[in-house]
Amino acid sequence: MKEHTEGVNINWLDQVKWDDKGLVAVVAQDFKSGRILMVAWANRQALSLSQQEGRAIYWSRSRQKLWRKGEESGNVQLLHHIQLDCDGDAVCYQVEQIGDVACHTGRQSCFYRQLTASDSGPQWLICEDVLKDPAQMYQTNAKE
Amino acid sequence: MKEHTEGVNINWLDQVKWDDKGLVAVVAQDFKSGRILMVAWANRQALSLSQQEGRAIYWSRSRQKLWRKGEESGNVQLLHHIQLDCDGDAVCYQVEQIGDVACHTGRQSCFYRQLTASDSGPQWLICEDVLKDPAQMYQTNAKE
């Protein structure tokens, strides 16, 4: 629905500031725990379909296609809220993560590496266990 | 410090997958409440300085310069942890938000608009109060 009534009721998708590739950054957050699960991208269709279908849908930049999160792994993200930031160039999906695993590595969150001091300077250390074997999550070898 | 000892001890900044503009997406999260405060960008220098100075530093795409968060508003973000996602193209700053306001509008979070159903279709509704008057936050008219 697109109505331009003195600018008041413009289409919600027009209020998103799409980048030069037609994308917007999306942060998925577990709506209960607050854990940041992943950062991905959405184009206009992905965001619109997310709203319509009530699940997190992204645009896969590597595969250049719509990515219904969980379509291969089963780790669907049920959408509770969609939020937009002040300048419109970032979106937050508040989700319920089915299977408790968002990352293709089998971890709850994609942000499982933390910068940690060491004798040889800062290093990224893995600080989260694998909950599911990725080989079991995916029927094919395709990585989400 | 940069050591290439059989790939084991490479510089942590080299493990970030910088985009074609030399930037990486950064999500700032309140490390206590879990609230997502903002999404911004960092270049190599901004990320390196964030680690060194223990505060959130970004690259302002609009102003094309380093942006020490809070340098104008006073709303500094003290850095507790830096996290990297699985494919290295997104970073999370776990921060303590000084002044409890991250957004230039005077709100706690930049994600203060939530998609809400209405008779005329989904609309972004403001669902967070202004905590501080932006005019008082900034000595100049410059917007962070």
Side-chain angles (χ1 to χ4, degrees):
Chain A
M1 180 177 295
K2 189 169 185 173
E3 299 177 27
H4 286 284
T5 311
E6 293 177 359
V8 174
N9 193 15
I10 60 172
N11 187 299
W12 64 281
L13 291 163
D14 291 336
Q15 293 178 265
V16 177
K17 197 167 150 191
W18 307 99
D19 71 9
D20 54 2
K21 297 182 180 74
L23 303 176
V24 69
V26 183
V27 186
Q29 182 175 39
D30 185 298
F31 87 109
K32 282 185 185 165
S33 70
R35 185 80 195 273
I36 295 177
L37 301 175
M38 54 187 280
V39 168
W41 298 83
N43 62 5
R44 192 177 174 96
Q45 186 184 18
L47 189 54
S48 178
L49 287 173
S50 293
Q51 185 272 326
Q52 290 173 46
E53 299 184 13
R55 61 180 286 185
I57 300 173
Y58 304 95
W59 175 256
S60 169
R61 295 179 302 172
S62 57
R63 295 185 292 170
Q64 287 286 300
K65 57 178 281 197
L66 276 182
W67 168 26
R68 285 179 165 78
K69 174 67 183 169
E71 62 193 345
E72 293 176 3
S73 63
N75 298 328
V76 170
Q77 293 175 336
L78 300 180
L79 201 47
H80 284 250
H81 297 293
I82 303 178
Q83 297 160 332
L84 183 65
D85 78 347
C86 53
D87 55 2
D89 66 353
V91 165
C92 181
Y93 287 171
Q94 295 286 344
V95 304
E96 178 182 348
Q97 178 62 65
I98 302 300
D100 208 30
V101 166
C103 185
H104 74 282
T105 64
R107 294 177 176 87
Q108 183 185 25
S109 166
C110 295
F111 291 89
Y112 58 81
R113 291 185 284 182
Q114 188 158 295
L115 198 62
T116 308
S118 77
D119 291 343
S120 56
Q123 289 192 27
W124 299 109
L125 285 192
I126 293 176
C127 49
E128 186 172 332
D129 291 335
V130 170
L131 299 179
K132 284 188 188 172
D133 179 359
Q136 293 184 337
M137 284 197 319
Y138 298 98
Q139 295 185 334
T140 68
N141 288 326
K143 167 188 158 185
E144 279 201 343
Chain B
M1 179 175 297
K2 189 167 184 174
E3 300 176 27
H4 286 284
T5 312
E6 293 177 0
V8 173
N9 192 15
I10 61 172
N11 187 298
W12 63 282
L13 291 162
D14 291 336
Q15 291 178 266
V16 176
K17 198 168 149 192
W18 307 99
D19 71 9
D20 54 3
K21 298 181 180 74
L23 302 177
V24 68
V26 182
V27 187
Q29 182 175 39
D30 185 297
F31 87 109
K32 282 186 185 165
S33 70
R35 185 81 196 272
I36 295 177
L37 301 176
M38 54 187 281
V39 169
W41 297 84
N43 62 5
R44 192 176 175 99
Q45 186 184 17
L47 188 56
S48 177
L49 287 173
S50 294
Q51 185 272 324
Q52 289 174 48
E53 300 184 12
R55 61 181 285 187
I57 300 173
Y58 303 95
W59 175 257
S60 169
R61 296 180 302 173
S62 58
R63 295 185 291 168
Q64 288 286 299
K65 57 178 279 196
L66 277 183
W67 167 26
R68 285 179 164 79
K69 173 68 182 169
E71 61 193 346
E72 292 176 3
S73 64
N75 299 326
V76 169
Q77 293 175 335
L78 300 181
L79 201 47
H80 285 250
H81 297 294
I82 304 179
Q83 298 159 332
L84 183 65
D85 78 346
C86 53
D87 56 2
D89 67 352
V91 165
C92 182
Y93 286 171
Q94 295 285 343
V95 304
E96 178 182 347
Q97 178 63 63
I98 303 300
D100 208 31
V101 166
C103 185
H104 75 283
T105 64
R107 294 177 175 88
Q108 183 184 27
S109 166
C110 295
F111 290 90
Y112 58 81
R113 291 185 283 182
Q114 188 158 295
L115 198 62
T116 309
S118 76
D119 291 343
S120 56
Q123 289 191 27
W124 299 109
L125 285 192
I126 293 176
C127 50
E128 186 172 331
D129 291 334
V130 171
L131 299 180
K132 284 188 188 172
D133 180 358
Q136 292 183 336
M137 285 197 318
Y138 298 98
Q139 295 184 334
T140 68
N141 288 324
K143 167 189 159 186
E144 281 202 343

